[in-house]
């Protein structure tokens, strides 16, 4: 059995953790040792996660994002060339493109070049028609819609959060502006540690009903947000915290009178001709998770990336204001970001997008366990990628970032 090691622990590699081989949820009914349930709390454990992320609607309550009339992509197959592409990862190891997908636990990959599908692969439990968990790529959808409402004058990003949500007048956001929330520049007594059961993100997840076992704290997301206190000044540094996205989306829903799912349906899923319905996890009060709750089909995530590559224009109709996309591409304040590991871009962050400032001018939506929407305007390329990596944090970057850069260079030639 092929094994890979992360943070001192061994895991079966992408080939040997194939959920089809494990037999998860097969049978009528599935045998007890092959069942994956929400109540057990093990659905995000590895290797069960390799099935779960393509079946979240079967595990938790969701709200639907209805499609309109599907409009399939044109195609120009370049799979043979792309699979044979070689690159050097950040550890100095030469890799073949296809092999790297297995070593980074890919569930699926769609590559667009000038709006055409040039590469499409699915692994494990994922199929073209199945929505897969986007995790924090969801933030980029929500941030783009919020920025569009700012451009249209529906929202004012200089206003403080209690202007829109009086309920948060005694919380950490009492003097935070909407723009500071949109760019993750708030000072919160909250930690985004996915391993620590006592972290802020774990408490937020439990309030959402995400971790149901042995919990007696706030029972809804909004109730939890009221309890978050301030730590430090707003607007002085970048600090990635999912609860900011939930506050931002709460503002958007309050002012527009439309839920996140309804806005996605109206502003994106119908006009983009998405092929499949999407869905969003909801909490016990019916609030939708804009911080990481979207599940969508891979091609439909790629459509959103192509819209952003085309500066908000979709076949002659401006769905997102061009100025919003240009503002995202410029990025945020790079001085608030460290360089990081050798070979890593020095990112900035704007309206819930990660901006690489690399030679392809790429910007990304990123999610735990390996989700990525990579938009590279200077290569006319969009890559939508789903994965089920055993470790939540960005263990894929040392492979995936050089892989995306090499692919973009090949396609722009």
């Amino acid at each position: 059995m092929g094994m890979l090691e992360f943070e001192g622990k061994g895991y079966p590699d992408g080939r040997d953790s194939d959920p089809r081989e494990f037999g998860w949820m097969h049978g009528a009914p599935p045998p007890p040792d092959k069942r994956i349930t929400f109540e057990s709390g093990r659905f995000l454990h590895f290797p069960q996660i390799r099935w779960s992320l393509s079946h979240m609607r079967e595990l938790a309550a969701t709200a639907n994002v209805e499609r309109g009339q599907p409009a399939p992509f044109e195609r120009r197959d370049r799979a043979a060339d792309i699979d044979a592409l070689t690159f050097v990862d950040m550890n100095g190891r030469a890799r073949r493109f296809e092999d790297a997908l297995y070593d980074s636990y890919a569930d699926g990959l769609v590559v667009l070049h000038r709006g055409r599908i040039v590469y499409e692969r699915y692994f494990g439990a994922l199929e073209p028609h199945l929505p897969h968990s986007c995790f924090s790529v969801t933030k980029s959808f929500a941030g783009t819609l919020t920025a569009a409402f700012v451009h249209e004058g529906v929202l004012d990003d200089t206003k403080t959060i209690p202007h829109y949500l009086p309920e948060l007048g005694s919380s950490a956001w009492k003097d935070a502006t909407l723009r500071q929330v949109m760019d993750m520049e708030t000072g919160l007594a909250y930690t985004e540690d996915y391993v620590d059961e006592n972290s802020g993100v774990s408490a937020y997840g439990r309030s959402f009903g995400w971790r149901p076992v042995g919990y007696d704290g706030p029972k809804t997301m909004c109730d939890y947000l009221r309890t978050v206190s301030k730590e430090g000044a707003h607007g002085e540094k970048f600090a990635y915290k999912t609860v900011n996205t939930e506050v931002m989306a709460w503002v958007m829903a309050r002012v527009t009178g439309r839920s996140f799912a309804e806005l996605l349906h109206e502003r994106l899923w119908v006009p983009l001709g998405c092929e499949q319905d999407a869905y969003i996890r909801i909490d016990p009060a019916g609030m939708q998770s804009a911080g990481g709750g979207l599940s969508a089909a891979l091609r439909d995530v790629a459509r959103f990336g192509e819209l952003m590559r085309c500066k908000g224009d979709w076949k002659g109709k401006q769905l997102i204001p061009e100025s919003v996309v240009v503002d995202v591409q410029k990025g945020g304040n790079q001085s608030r970001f460290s360089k990081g590991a050798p070979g890593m871009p020095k990112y900035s962050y704007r309206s819930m997008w990660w901006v690489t400032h690399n030679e392809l001018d790429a910007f990304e939506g990123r999610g735990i366990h390996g989700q990525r929407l990579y938009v590279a305007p200077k290569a006319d390329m969009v890559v939508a990628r789903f994965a089920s990596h055993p470790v939540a944090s960005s263990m894929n970057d040392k492979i995936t970032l050089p892989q995306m850069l090499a692919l973009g260079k090949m396609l722009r030639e």
Side-chain angles (χ1 to χ4, degrees):
M1 177 179 287
M3 298 291 291
L4 297 173
E5 184 176 309
F6 306 104
E7 299 179 342
K9 184 177 179 180
Y11 299 90
D13 66 17
R15 289 182 172 86
D16 287 326
S17 61
D18 189 323
R20 295 168 297 185
E21 300 301 320
F22 276 85
W24 301 118
M25 299 302 289
H26 286 183
D33 64 338
K34 298 298 182 182
R35 295 176 193 171
I36 298 174
T37 65
F38 179 76
E39 289 75 17
S40 71
R42 293 182 58 82
F43 65 103
L44 288 182
H45 291 194
F46 188 84
Q48 291 93 329
I49 192 174
R50 303 223 62 202
W51 181 89
S52 300
L53 297 192
S54 298
H55 296 271
M56 295 304 296
R57 171 162 274 174
E58 298 163 49
L59 296 166
T62 60
N64 198 55
V65 180
E66 188 176 357
R67 68 179 184 177
Q69 181 62 39
F73 281 109
E74 295 181 11
R75 292 176 178 270
R76 182 181 174 228
D77 184 51
R78 297 195 62 182
D81 294 338
I82 291 173
D83 276 336
L85 176 67
T86 59
F87 65 97
V88 177
D89 69 18
M90 292 184 189
N91 292 321
R93 176 181 171 182
R95 292 182 178 271
R96 190 171 177 269
F97 189 95
E98 181 183 28
D99 294 335
L101 296 178
Y102 287 100
D103 286 349
S104 55
Y105 297 88
D107 292 329
L109 192 83
V110 165
V111 180
L112 304 180
H113 186 232
R114 295 173 184 162
R116 297 183 179 91
I117 292 179
V118 296
Y119 187 89
E120 185 172 18
R121 291 282 302 275
Y122 295 89
F123 307 85
L126 188 61
E127 298 179 41
H129 68 280
L130 286 179
H132 185 287
S133 180
C134 298
F135 285 120
S136 289
V137 175
T138 310
K139 292 179 171 71
S140 299
F141 284 87
T144 301
L145 290 177
T146 302
F149 284 123
V150 170
H151 171 90
E152 294 163 11
V154 176
L155 297 173
D156 182 344
D157 62 1
T158 69
K159 298 288 189 184
T160 60
I161 296 303
H163 174 79
Y164 298 110
L165 302 174
E167 299 95 320
L168 296 183
S170 298
S171 75
W173 294 278
K174 61 187 177 183
D175 56 348
T177 66
L178 179 58
R179 173 48 64 186
Q180 288 165 345
V181 168
M182 292 168 68
D183 292 344
M184 299 283 188
E185 294 185 349
T186 55
L188 311 179
Y190 168 101
T191 54
E192 192 90 3
D193 186 328
Y194 305 107
V195 177
D196 183 2
E197 288 295 324
N198 297 313
S199 68
V201 73
S202 294
Y204 149 74
R206 288 190 289 270
S207 75
F208 209 88
W210 195 232
R211 302 183 182 192
V213 180
Y215 174 66
D216 60 359
K219 296 298 192 294
T220 71
M221 177 181 70
C222 294
D223 286 344
Y224 173 74
L225 294 175
R226 293 184 182 96
T227 72
V228 178
S229 58
K230 188 177 179 182
E231 184 177 87
H234 300 312
E236 292 187 352
K237 63 180 182 178
F238 171 81
Y240 182 86
K241 299 182 178 185
T242 293
V243 286
N244 280 317
T245 315
E246 304 297 9
V247 169
M248 179 192 75
W250 189 3
V251 168
M252 184 165 56
R254 175 66 59 83
V255 173
T256 66
R258 309 294 283 164
S259 71
F260 184 38
E262 289 170 331
L263 292 172
L264 288 174
H265 163 74
E266 295 163 2
R267 302 285 299 241
L268 295 175
W269 251 247
V270 170
L272 288 176
C274 287
E275 296 179 40
Q276 307 295 333
D277 288 0
Y279 56 85
I280 303 170
R281 295 195 314 270
I282 62 174
D283 79 352
M287 289 293 286
Q288 300 166 9
S289 173
L294 179 68
S295 287
L298 193 57
R299 292 177 199 153
D300 294 338
V301 174
R303 277 179 171 78
F304 178 53
E306 180 67 7
L307 175 69
M308 297 297 287
R309 185 188 74 84
C310 296
K311 291 186 168 63
D313 176 85
W314 190 258
K315 300 180 181 179
K317 186 174 181 180
Q318 201 72 37
L319 303 185
I320 298 295
E322 181 176 356
S323 62
V324 168
V325 184
V326 170
D327 184 65
V328 167
Q329 287 182 276
K330 287 179 182 177
N333 189 339
Q334 278 187 281
S335 69
R336 295 177 180 174
F337 289 74
S338 60
K339 175 62 178 173
M344 282 282 287
K346 186 174 182 179
Y347 282 97
S348 69
Y349 197 79
R350 187 69 171 174
S351 297
M352 305 280 164
W353 286 90
W354 297 89
V355 184
T356 69
H357 304 280
N358 69 9
E359 62 186 275
L360 303 180
D361 279 353
F363 53 103
E364 303 178 295
R366 297 164 58 94
I368 57 173
H369 297 288
Q371 320 321 314
R372 182 174 259 109
L373 176 58
Y374 189 93
V375 183
K378 286 190 175 177
D380 298 317
M381 179 184 82
V382 171
V383 181
R385 179 187 189 279
F386 288 146
S388 47
H389 197 285
V391 178
S393 57
S394 300
M395 306 300 294
N396 279 331
D397 277 352
K398 290 186 177 182
I399 296 176
T400 301
L401 288 176
Q403 184 183 31
M404 295 299 99
L405 191 58
L407 178 59
K409 289 179 179 179
M410 186 191 88
L411 291 176
R412 75 178 178 183
E413 290 176 356

